Amino acid sequence: MVSSKEADKTRPPRPKSNFKPGNNKPNNKFKSAPKFAKKSDNTKAKPGGAHNKFAGKPVCSGEPEKQDWNKFKKEKKELKLKRKSTRDTYEITKEAKQIYEKLRCRKTENKDQLVEQMFKILNVGDTISKIVKAHDTARVLQCMLKHATPALRAEISEKLLPYAVEMCQSKYAQFCVQRMLKYGAPATKSKLVDSLFGHIVRLAGHSIASGLLDVMYQGGTRQQRTHMRQEFYGDLYRKAKDSSVKTLSDTYKEATNMKASILGSVKANLDHVANKNLVDSSLVHCVMLEYLRACEDEEEKLEETVTAFAALVPHMLSTKEGSEAAVICFYKSTPKNRRAIIKNIKEHLLKIATHEHGHVFLISLLNALDDTKATKKAIYDHLHGDLKQLVGNQYGRRVVQWLVAPGDTTCFHPTFIRVIEEGLAFGKKEKETRRKEIFEQIEAPIGEAIVEDAAFWLSNSHIGLVTADILNHIQGESYQKAVEALAQVVVQPDWRITADAAGAQPLQQKKGHQDVEDIIAEATKQRKKLIKVEESSDEDDEASAEEEADKEEADADIVKPKKAKKEPKPAKEEPAKPLVTGIEEAGMHIVLKKILKNDGKQQVEEGRSFGEQILKHLTSDGLKAWLSVNRGCFILLKLVEERPQLLDTCRTAIEAEEEVGQLLKSQKTLGAKLLAGKLNIGK
């Protein structure tokens, strides 16, 4: 056998490699020839015979030719002008817009004459109907409706009324309809509503027109509102109105066999509006309520309707009728649908609880739910973080009061309680059991909230009444901690609160239709006074956003820098309410007396009652402040009357300093005399 070393010696030598360190290029002598049949002068063949995708493309030689942007913009402007000049209304609108520029200037006088001049120019054939939908000329008509004389405004409105349906659906013409509603005479507004009859359902399902329709429904006469609802009852009432039909139930009162078909038409129309999420309307809410009441006898149809409306409940709580319809939906729902409704309103709870009509729905829901643990978790836990905001609102306070004192006639009107308790028929638990379970779960959190910020809970008389109701129901450790924190606020010599009752402003008279001209005249006078003071004139609020964009486009380069976002205008700060001494305020005086009256009934540890805490923390300065005020003396008198065992303590506190005792003796008020007599001081 030949060894491996001997075999290596017999092998031929290997060829030397072309590879060098730092050079990974292959040897050119092993490169294959290019496979291109013919090379272009401006192209290069890729090594290795690969196909070149850029073959045949011209190579740029030198710098590209610069574009003359001024010439480009001039040509663009001429093309735009040429395109506009082909319209038959171009010359007329051009002349009208020149006058409009003067009309919208703040310093211009005799604006009604300019409006007459513009009307003479535009009142040619059907010009007004053609220009009302354009973005620029629509603003001209808006300005005319604002500054015209009453007679001319009525004439312009008459020209626009035949096109009211199309205007309500137009992006720009809708603002002319708004001006007619704002500045028009009552007769004009009535004609405007009448011109929409026959198209109510279609407009209610339109994203732009639905808002205008809601305004007209709320401002219309009773007969007009009835006729608008009738169009939802079917095609029969769309073409002809019946003054004897006031509600949906009147349509089939004499012909019961028509009930199914009429209800079917109503449901189809409501579905049309609901599919476009446009149910936040007074008109739609009224029709919904009538439909739900008509379906109460038909369980299958009602269940189907309630299931469809469950997702729309948050949008139904903006009106009284919508809130009632939402309550019916909740009462008649299956447990599954109820959970869906609670889930849908969860993110809007604070807004609902502080709404004029929404809070009624929320109270009805709290009163009808059997699962009290789920109620606390789904509703109260979400509201607890905003408890201050809730108590600070006049409707939110009612929700808190119902949680603490449900059905209490000192907090709620008997009629309201009767309406809410209708929902008890749709639950299984006993009323008292349900309410007790809810209160036991929220008692400790509410007590802790009072301890955290006791000053807020006595910051005005309205909030103080809620605090008194809470203290009237909580017990044990929660009560003792709460009154201890509140007493430390009350005894401060400089304790001041907002005077809601004292600072109430007289109610302003509601502006009627006949006041429109007076309002405009007064506004014109005020504007003229302002012009004399100001030297520079600002542009009117109705300036076209499109025109501004065109001006910027003409001045700036084609490559524009990004516009900085406009900062939102700061909200107008409400004037601060006047502050008064807490012990002197009439409403707070009633609150403290209620707390002391309840304190006498509470079973607490020695030294932890509200009266004992007041005497414990009341300093000589605080005593002087109280004894110098008639209501302060009455509070001390109420304290010793409710807890007679504190009489000696109170006498000792007053007599401890001679100056304080002399102050009480020197007072001539009735409260001071009664307190001195009760404590046997000065006899």
Side-chain angles (χ1 to χ4, degrees), residues 507-530:
L507 292 172
Q508 295 181 353
Q509 279 191 337
K510 193 176 180 182
K511 294 171 183 175
H513 297 296
Q514 66 273 15
D515 299 331
V516 173
E517 297 305 325
D518 297 335
I519 294 165
I520 296 170
E522 184 64 28
T524 307
K525 288 179 183 177
Q526 294 293 336
R527 186 171 288 179
K528 285 179 181 178
K529 290 179 182 177
L530 188 64

Side-chain angles (χ1 to χ4, degrees), residues 108 315 332 497 509 530 550:
T108 303
H315 305 287
K332 302 288 185 178
I497 62 170
Q509 279 191 337
L530 188 64
D550 290 342

Side-chain angles (χ1 to χ4, degrees), residues 172-458:
Y172 301 107
Q174 59 155 327
F175 297 107
C176 293
V177 179
Q178 290 180 16
R179 288 292 184 276
M180 291 166 70
L181 290 170
K182 185 175 181 179
Y183 298 110
T188 302
K189 296 176 184 178
S190 182
K191 289 178 183 178
L192 180 61
V193 175
D194 293 341
S195 66
L196 303 182
F197 286 152
H199 308 276
I200 298 297
V201 177
R202 180 157 62 90
L203 294 175
H206 192 274
S207 59
I208 296 174
S210 59
L212 290 170
L213 195 66
D214 188 32
V215 173
M216 293 183 204
Y217 179 78
Q218 294 179 27
T221 63
R222 181 175 295 181
Q223 186 178 9
Q224 285 176 332
R225 289 199 297 268
T226 302
H227 289 171
M228 290 171 83
R229 290 197 303 272
Q230 283 181 11
E231 296 203 17
F232 280 84
Y233 302 161
D235 290 341
L236 176 65
Y237 295 98
R238 184 170 63 83
K239 297 172 183 175
K241 304 293 184 285
D242 189 349
S243 57
S244 63
V245 175
K246 306 294 183 185
T247 61
L248 179 58
S249 58
D250 293 337
T251 57
Y252 53 83
K253 187 182 289 184
E254 296 178 358
T256 53
N257 58 331
M258 294 286 291
K259 182 177 179 179
S261 62
I262 291 172
L263 292 180
S265 298
V266 175
K267 188 176 186 304
N269 290 329
L270 287 175
D271 288 342
H272 166 70
V273 177
N275 288 337
K276 298 189 176 184
N277 291 325
L278 296 172
V279 295
D280 191 5
S281 164
S282 303
L283 171 60
V284 178
H285 292 170
C286 288
V287 177
M288 273 185 176
L289 181 59
E290 290 180 356
Y291 177 73
L292 289 169
R293 285 175 175 170
C295 292
E296 283 184 350
D297 299 332
E298 303 179 18
E299 294 293 334
E300 292 182 4
K301 187 172 287 188
L302 184 62
E303 186 177 347
E304 181 185 348
T305 305
V306 165
T307 304
F309 287 171
L312 305 174
V313 165
H315 305 287
M316 295 165 61
L317 303 177
S318 57
T319 63
K320 183 182 177 182
E321 292 80 7
S323 182
E324 290 180 24
V327 169
I328 294 173
C329 283
F330 186 78
Y331 286 163
K332 302 288 185 178
S333 293
T334 61
K336 183 180 178 181
N337 285 336
R338 286 190 175 191
R339 287 193 295 272
I341 290 172
I342 293 171
K343 185 179 178 181
N344 288 329
I345 68 169
K346 194 176 289 185
E347 58 183 295
H348 310 287
L349 272 176
L350 182 62
K351 191 180 289 186
I352 292 169
T354 54
H355 191 271
E356 179 184 1
H357 306 296
H359 83 280
V360 179
F361 168 78
L362 194 57
I363 291 173
S364 302
L365 184 149
L366 290 168
N367 196 55
L369 280 172
D370 286 328
D371 191 348
T372 53
K373 288 186 178 180
T375 303
K376 177 185 178 292
K377 185 178 178 181
I379 297 174
Y380 180 79
D381 287 353
H382 285 268
L383 291 173
H384 183 74
D386 301 303
L387 201 56
K388 289 183 186 179
Q389 192 173 345
L390 202 63
V391 175
N393 180 271
Q394 60 174 327
Y395 304 115
R397 285 195 285 270
R398 290 165 65 85
V399 176
V400 176
Q401 285 176 315
W402 189 271
L403 283 166
V404 176
D408 191 347
T409 52
T410 60
C411 304
F412 303 96
H413 194 276
T415 305
F416 179 82
I417 295 171
R418 187 173 62 253
V419 171
I420 296 298
E421 290 190 345
E422 289 176 1
L424 296 172
F426 301 95
K428 297 178 181 178
K429 277 188 180 179
E430 290 292 329
K431 176 175 72 174
E432 297 302 327
T433 305
R434 182 192 294 113
R435 291 175 176 178
K436 184 180 178 183
E437 288 177 358
I438 292 175
F439 179 72
E440 285 175 352
Q441 294 179 70
I442 67 170
E443 181 179 9
I446 287 184
E448 290 171 6
I450 294 175
V451 174
E452 286 175 7
D453 191 359
F456 167 79
W457 291 88
L458 290 177

Side-chain angles (χ1 to χ4, degrees), residues 462-675:
H462 299 302
I463 296 174
L465 286 172
V466 178
T467 308
D469 290 330
I470 293 171
L471 294 175
N472 195 26
H473 289 83
I474 64 175
Q475 297 175 348
E477 190 67 22
S478 298
Y479 175 81
Q480 293 171 14
K481 288 181 178 179
V483 294
E484 185 176 353
L486 293 171
Q488 293 178 24
V489 173
V490 172
V491 298
Q492 294 174 7
D494 57 346
W495 176 43
R496 298 178 72 79
I497 62 170
T498 53
D500 288 339
Q505 298 295 326
L507 292 172
Q508 295 181 353
Q509 279 191 337
K510 193 176 180 182
K511 294 171 183 175
H513 297 296
Q514 66 273 15
D515 299 331
V516 173
E517 297 305 325
D518 297 335
I519 294 165
I520 296 170
E522 184 64 28
T524 307
K525 288 179 183 177
Q526 294 293 336
R527 186 171 288 179
K528 285 179 181 178
K529 290 179 182 177
L530 188 64
I531 290 165
K532 291 177 183 178
V533 178
E534 294 179 354
E535 293 181 359
S536 60
S537 63
D538 300 328
E539 291 185 355
D540 194 87
D541 292 338
E542 295 174 358
S544 171
E546 286 81 1
E547 290 174 7
E548 291 177 7
D550 290 342
K551 288 175 184 176
E552 289 176 7
E553 201 171 59
D555 296 336
D557 294 331
I558 294 298
V559 181
K560 296 180 181 177
K562 289 185 178 179
K563 293 181 183 178
K565 290 184 178 179
K566 291 183 179 179
E567 294 183 1
K569 292 181 180 179
K572 292 182 180 178
E573 294 183 1
E574 295 183 2
K577 293 178 180 177
L579 296 175
V580 296
T581 305
I583 201 68
E584 292 184 24
E585 209 268 329
M588 188 56 66
H589 180 70
I590 295 170
V591 169
L592 293 175
K593 288 178 73 174
K594 288 185 75 171
I595 296 174
L596 286 167
K597 183 179 179 180
N598 171 62
D599 188 59
K601 302 173 185 176
Q602 288 279 357
Q603 299 295 326
V604 295
E605 298 174 13
E606 187 177 351
R608 301 194 67 181
S609 67
F610 186 57
E612 289 170 314
Q613 289 294 323
I614 285 178
L615 293 177
K616 178 182 176 182
H617 296 287
L618 198 59
T619 62
S620 60
D621 291 338
L623 268 173
K624 289 176 186 177
W626 282 36
L627 294 176
S628 61
V629 178
N630 186 38
R631 290 195 174 112
C633 295
F634 271 112
I635 292 298
L636 289 172
L637 182 63
K638 183 72 174 176
L639 187 152
V640 296
E641 284 178 350
E642 294 298 334
R643 287 196 174 268
Q645 64 271 28
L646 298 179
L647 193 143
D648 294 336
T649 310
C650 185
R651 185 189 304 115
T652 305
I654 293 174
E655 291 179 340
E657 293 189 25
E658 187 178 348
E659 188 179 351
V660 176
Q662 290 298 326
L663 178 63
L664 177 59
K665 293 174 187 177
S666 64
Q667 293 298 312
K668 304 297 182 184
T669 60
L670 179 61
K673 291 177 181 179
L674 292 174
L675 180 62

